[in-house]
Each structure stands twice: as structure tokens, then as C-alpha cells.
Amino acid sequence: MVREVTPDLRILLVEVTQKCNASCDHCGSRCDIHSAEVLTAEDILGVFRDVRDNIGTDVMINITGGEPLMRRDLFDIMGQAHDMGFDWGMVTNGSMIDDNIIEKMRSAGMRTITISLDGLAHTHETIRHLPGSFERIMKSLKKLKDAAFLDCVQVTFTSNRKNYREFPKLYERLEQIGIDSVRTSIIDPIGRACDHSELLMGREEIRFMMDFANRVNAAGRMPVIWGCPHFLGDKLENRHFFCFAGIYAASILYNGDIFVCPNVPRRPELIQGNIKTERFSEVWKNGYDYFRHRVLPEKCETCKYRDDCAGDSLHTFDFDRKAPNFCYKEIFDVNIGKYENWLKKHYGSVEITEISPDEPAPAIYIEPGAYEEIKSYFHMGVRHPLSMFEQQMGLVGFKVDGDYIVRYAFPSVIEAKAADLAVFTPGTLSHARKQTAIIKRNVMHSDWADMPGNDRLRFLGFIHSHPMQEELCYSVGDEIIHKSLYKKFGDYIGLLVNPEHDLIGAYVGGDDIVQGNLKIVNVGD
């Protein structure tokens, strides 16, 4: 399949320098303070005059780097671009902004700004190696909003395994300042991020970010805008994907090379020319053939997402293998059929006992190891001294296609135990978090290390007993706890047991709690 589109230059990214006062762990260009600055002011202005005369001034100029504010003549150049009729904006790490810089922005006709923040203070400053920068940036954001000359004040957040849990708290602070939006994206294995594989995200971390974005956007709060990097299917509401490289977007690199998105691998065969020897407008009109007549990889031809994804973004494309490094289908499209086939292969023979509700609901699979722990702890099927008071266990597992897989169960702390009463305290949740962390840390060193899903393990919920209740149902207190934990974690399941009568049931959902479709996996002979 060849995907052909009509080019229409909308964004011109200009890499005015590769010098940067930061040394970010995820920088796609590996910029630092020693990086080069090659283009003269006249080189850059010559491109703007060419675009004005031969393409038009509807093109948005996006200044990037390196750190653009390290270029001393930046505002002289962009003031002239503004006088030519161009709107322009800038992506910056924000650490060099002060009152003088803000006034220069205003005078040069700047319209938009995007400032990078990658977590709360300690995390952000550790990732970017810029001590003391977090609070300076927060103050600058407030000053930029108060100055009121920009069409858009935006923060960009590159999510990784170290910072993604901090995003909701950072979002709250940014919302209080009143910025216009947050643009978030996923860390990709490009540039310096290739040296920090511990930061790369898995399915559940990405899902956490998308769920949060969906919730705040649906509530009409400060928008969370996803960057263009990847096709994310229906996991993100209102997600429309298209890789703009060479079609709606072009760039001038720090050395004058005419290119596409600066994050795309800068391979010689992809460079379209150089402004020192060629006119940009002519290259735009007659070049970029690879990007405008893109042939999809063979593995993509039979994919059900082919027309929507089109081989995904080029910035994470492996041009040697001719295949995408990021594949939505491989990351998210794991279905229960595949999971059950794996169970049969791993255990030889399995039997699934289904305890179905009257209405369709998400399924909760309890794997054999976890079920043995549950049966033993609650003394299922017998009247035992320890089973006659309420007890509780925590559940650890992962999700597949909206269904839950319970892989591990551990004893949980509750207080004031009685036959029909137990008290859930802050210590209960704290203990559960610690136990979950221990399981996640130790599992990769166990005999179960190679089990699919271990890279996505997380706390799923609790299972507790109602020894006096022969028709299992939540109490009022259970519903309050369930809804509170669902709100805290963005997801939660609750299981109930009557030990003596060997009864077990499940509850799922948030505002509307429903009975879950419980599936107990038994090992066959």
C-alpha cells in the first residue's frame, strides 16, 4: 500500500541552534552546551523571505533547538519575521526566561510558547539536569499569562516511567496558574533516551496517561493535548493520528539541512537539501518524495489498523529493518483468546469455572497460583477459627482488553475484626502499596519471570470475606471504599467470599458498581 497525500506547508520548524543549557535524559537530538550553532541570521532570514514570496505567510514558524534562548540574535531575527507577516512561536525549556526576555517576546510579535516540564521539582530537575529550574519556570508561566500578549501558553510533558505518576499533581498546579493547555507525549527510544531504557514506558503506564487525559478532557477542564508521535487507536478519545513529516511540516536543521520533523533519524538519504546551496521553496515543491509516497512495511499490509496508522510515525521508524519500533497493535492488542491459549500452553490443561452475572460485565480471571493463596488464606469450604471473622487480601495483576487477570494475592491489614465488621484504615492502603512494590520488584527474579503480563503488574483491588453472608453483596461501607479507591487509582475491583460455603463474587466499576464476570482458572490433570 502506498499512502499519497497533497503537501501543504503549515508548520516550518527552525532549529536555530543545537546549544542547550540542559542535558535531558530523553533528548532526541542529544543537545548540550557544547553543541554547534552554524546558521547566520541572514541564512535564516533568507529562508523566511523565500517562503513569504513563493509559498505564503500562512505558514506558522516554530522556533526550536537546542535551547533557542541561547541564541543572542533570536529576537532580532524573529522581529523581522514578524514584520514579514509570519506568526511564530517557540519551544523552550523555560529556564532562561526573565522579565527582559518576556518584553523581547512581546516586541518581536511572538504568538505562542511551549515550555517543557517533566514532573514535579525533583524529578524534572533530575531528568533535565537543571537544578532550581522548576520554580523559576512556574513563576515564568504565571508572568507570561499575566502579560496577556500570547495566543497560547502551553506546557509540554514527556511522560516516562519515572515521572508519569506525578502528572496529575503537576496538572493541578498548572491548572491553577491558568495556562491554556498541556501537551503530553510518550518517551521514545530515540537520541539520549536510548541510553536510559529504564525510562521507557509499558502498556499500563501509557494507559494511565491516556485515562487521565480522557477524564479531564471529558470534564471540560484544562485540555490535555496529545502530541503527534503515535497512533493510539481508540484508547484515547477523539484521537486522530497523522504523521505530518514532509506533508504539512518541514524543518531547517541547525546546519541548514532541509528536513522533516527534527526527531526523525537524520539519515543522509532522508535529507532533502541545504539552504546554503538550494532554495527551500523549490525543495518543498519538488522534493520529499519518500514522505509523500510512503510505502507501508510488509507487516502493516494485513493489519486491521492499516488505514488509520499507516505504519506509525517516522521518528521511531527503523529504516534498516523497514518496520516501526512503536506498534500500537503489538503493545495494546493482546486479547483474552491469546491469554487463554497461553494458559493452556503453560499449564498443559486448564479448566475455567465461570461465575457469570445476569448482565454482561468485565471478566476477572483468577490464575491458579492466586486462587490457591485465596483458598488457603480464607480456609474456603470449611468452618475454621480463622475464617469466622472478616479477613482481607490484596490483589495484584494486570488488564487485557478491559478484563482483569489476578496473578498474586497477599494478606492485607485490617483492624477491629469481627464476624461482620472490619475497619479499613490508611495503613491498609499503605501496606497494599508496599506489598505490590515488593511483588513487582521480586517477580523478575522468580521462577515466574517469563510469564506474559509481568511487566504490567499493578495493584488491582482487594478481596475480603463476609463470613455471615450467604448471598454475597457489598455493604454501604464497601461501596464507599470501592468508589474512593476507584477514584484514587482510576480503576479498581473488589472480590467477596463466604469461606464456609465456598462462595465467591466480584464487583467492578466506579460510579456504577456492577457484578463482575468471575472466571476461576483451575489446573487440569
Side-chain angles (χ1 to χ4, degrees):
M1 172 185 172
V2 179
R3 188 173 193 176
E4 298 191 25
V5 292
T6 302
D8 178 16
L9 185 63
R10 302 175 186 176
I11 301 171
L12 178 61
L13 298 104
V14 182
E15 201 174 61
V16 294
T17 182
Q18 271 211 324
K19 288 184 182 296
C20 188
N21 59 328
S23 182
C24 305
D25 291 342
H26 58 274
C27 178
S29 303
R30 294 183 180 270
C31 299
D32 60 32
I33 196 67
H34 304 294
S35 295
E37 185 174 296
V38 178
L39 295 179
T40 67
E42 185 53 38
D43 288 333
I44 298 170
L45 289 168
V47 172
F48 294 161
R49 287 191 287 267
D50 173 38
V51 172
R52 177 196 62 190
D53 296 341
N54 297 293
I55 297 176
T57 57
D58 289 337
V59 178
M60 178 71 181
I61 297 174
N62 195 343
I63 298 301
T64 183
E67 170 49 51
L69 292 177
M70 296 201 74
R71 180 151 187 150
R72 295 183 177 181
D73 59 357
L74 174 66
F75 294 107
D76 291 335
I77 295 170
M78 297 317 298
Q80 293 185 61
H82 173 66
D83 292 341
M84 292 180 201
F86 289 105
D87 285 335
W88 71 279
M90 177 168 57
V91 178
T92 171
N93 65 38
S95 64
M96 299 177 66
I97 296 174
D98 56 22
D99 292 344
N100 181 48
I101 292 291
I102 291 175
E103 185 52 42
K104 287 183 177 181
M105 291 174 178
R106 185 203 305 268
S107 298
M110 195 169 95
R111 306 307 310 159
T112 66
I113 191 168
T114 298
I115 298 178
S116 301
L117 273 174
D118 294 317
L120 299 176
H122 176 75
T123 302
H124 170 79
E125 292 170 10
T126 300
I127 289 172
R128 290 187 168 260
H129 303 277
L130 280 174
S133 61
F134 181 84
E135 289 302 333
R136 289 202 303 273
I137 292 169
M138 298 300 284
K139 291 177 182 177
S140 294
L141 286 168
K142 179 75 166 56
K143 288 181 178 181
L144 286 165
K145 282 301 297 181
D146 290 344
F149 65 89
L150 294 170
D151 295 335
C152 179
V153 176
Q154 183 183 73
V155 161
T156 184
F157 177 88
T158 303
S159 57
N160 62 59
R161 187 165 280 176
K162 182 183 290 186
N163 70 3
Y164 77 101
R165 285 282 181 185
E166 296 182 1
F167 184 64
K169 288 185 178 179
L170 178 64
Y171 175 92
E172 296 287 346
R173 287 199 61 177
L174 296 173
E175 191 175 41
Q176 290 172 7
I177 292 174
I179 68 168
D180 298 287
S181 63
V182 180
R183 181 182 185 271
T184 186
S185 60
I186 303 164
I187 187 172
D188 286 309
I190 58 175
R192 206 176 280 130
C194 294
D195 304 333
H196 295 278
S197 59
E198 76 280 1
L199 297 178
L200 301 182
M201 300 175 72
R203 181 187 291 105
E204 289 307 313
E205 290 94 346
I206 297 172
R207 178 77 256 187
F208 176 93
M209 291 296 298
M210 292 191 292
D211 285 347
F212 183 83
N214 287 339
R215 287 200 303 275
V216 297
N217 288 340
R221 298 174 63 184
M222 179 180 69
V224 175
I225 301 168
W226 277 79
C228 62
H230 297 296
F231 169 72
L232 294 173
D234 58 359
K235 302 299 180 184
L236 192 67
E237 292 175 8
N238 302 318
R239 171 65 179 170
H240 301 289
F241 172 81
F242 191 79
C243 185
F244 292 172
I247 300 166
Y248 301 140
S251 69
I252 307 299
L253 302 184
Y254 75 99
N255 61 356
D257 281 346
I258 300 170
F259 198 47
V260 286
C261 168
N263 285 330
V264 173
R266 302 178 183 195
R267 298 168 67 99
E269 69 270 25
L270 298 180
I271 301 296
Q272 302 298 301
N274 190 286
I275 62 169
K276 292 180 179 292
T277 56
E278 295 166 87
R279 181 177 293 178
F280 171 80
S281 61
E282 290 299 318
V283 174
W284 173 256
K285 292 174 181 177
N286 301 313
Y288 293 92
D289 185 70
Y290 175 88
F291 305 96
R292 297 170 186 175
H293 307 281
R294 186 175 170 189
V295 179
L296 292 191
E298 184 177 345
K299 66 174 288 185
C300 300
E301 286 292 348
T302 58
C303 177
K304 65 181 179 180
Y305 303 114
R306 181 189 66 176
D307 294 338
D308 298 311
C309 174
D312 202 63
S313 291
L314 285 167
H315 78 283
T316 53
F317 197 78
D318 187 321
F319 290 91
D320 294 317
R321 291 191 303 115
K322 294 182 171 54
N325 283 326
F326 182 98
C327 177
Y328 168 87
K329 188 174 188 295
E330 291 177 357
I331 293 176
F332 285 98
D333 200 20
V334 179
N335 59 50
I336 288 295
K338 291 180 181 177
Y339 166 73
E340 292 183 354
N341 287 336
W342 175 83
L343 281 173
K344 292 172 183 176
K345 178 180 178 181
H346 185 82
Y347 290 107
S349 176
V350 298
E351 178 182 298
I352 297 178
T353 303
E354 188 168 0
I355 305 172
S356 301
D358 295 331
E359 300 294 331
I364 300 99
Y365 288 77
I366 306 180
E367 288 190 350
Y371 191 52
E372 288 300 318
E373 293 286 343
I374 289 169
K375 286 198 300 182
S376 174
Y377 185 78
F378 288 104
H379 299 278
M380 299 291 284
V382 297
R383 188 172 180 81
H384 186 279
L386 292 177
S387 70
M388 296 165 66
F389 280 57
E390 281 203 23
Q391 299 181 94
Q392 181 168 278
M393 300 185 81
L395 305 172
V396 173
F398 57 100
K399 288 185 75 173
V400 174
D401 279 0
D403 293 329
Y404 301 85
I405 314 298
V406 177
R407 179 157 290 172
Y408 301 100
F410 58 85
S412 175
V413 177
I414 49 177
E415 297 181 9
K417 294 181 181 179
D420 57 356
L421 174 68
V423 176
F424 188 101
T425 70
T428 304
L429 188 56
S430 175
H431 176 261
R433 283 174 159 157
K434 290 177 182 177
Q435 290 298 113
T436 301
I438 289 169
I439 290 171
K440 290 176 66 176
R441 185 179 68 234
N442 291 345
V443 71
M444 304 313 294
H445 303 288
S446 71
D447 293 338
W448 305 93
D450 63 343
M451 292 176 72
N454 275 347
D455 62 327
R456 294 177 278 140
L457 291 176
R458 62 180 175 86
F459 173 70
L460 294 178
F462 291 108
I463 177 171
H464 71 281
S465 60
H466 280 189
M468 305 296 291
Q469 191 179 88
E470 294 189 22
E471 292 186 7
L472 294 172
C473 65
Y474 261 177
S475 67
V476 172
D478 291 336
E479 287 193 11
I480 293 172
I481 292 169
H482 184 118
K483 290 180 178 180
S484 174
L485 294 180
Y486 184 93
K487 184 177 180 181
K488 179 180 290 291
F489 291 104
D491 205 352
Y492 179 80
I493 61 173
L495 275 61
L496 280 178
V497 297
N498 176 304
E500 182 180 355
H501 296 284
D502 200 12
L503 300 174
I504 186 167
Y507 293 87
V508 297
D511 294 331
D512 298 316
I513 301 172
V514 298
Q515 187 180 356
N517 182 3
L518 195 62
K519 296 188 176 186
I520 299 172
V521 181
N522 302 297
V523 181
D525 296 329

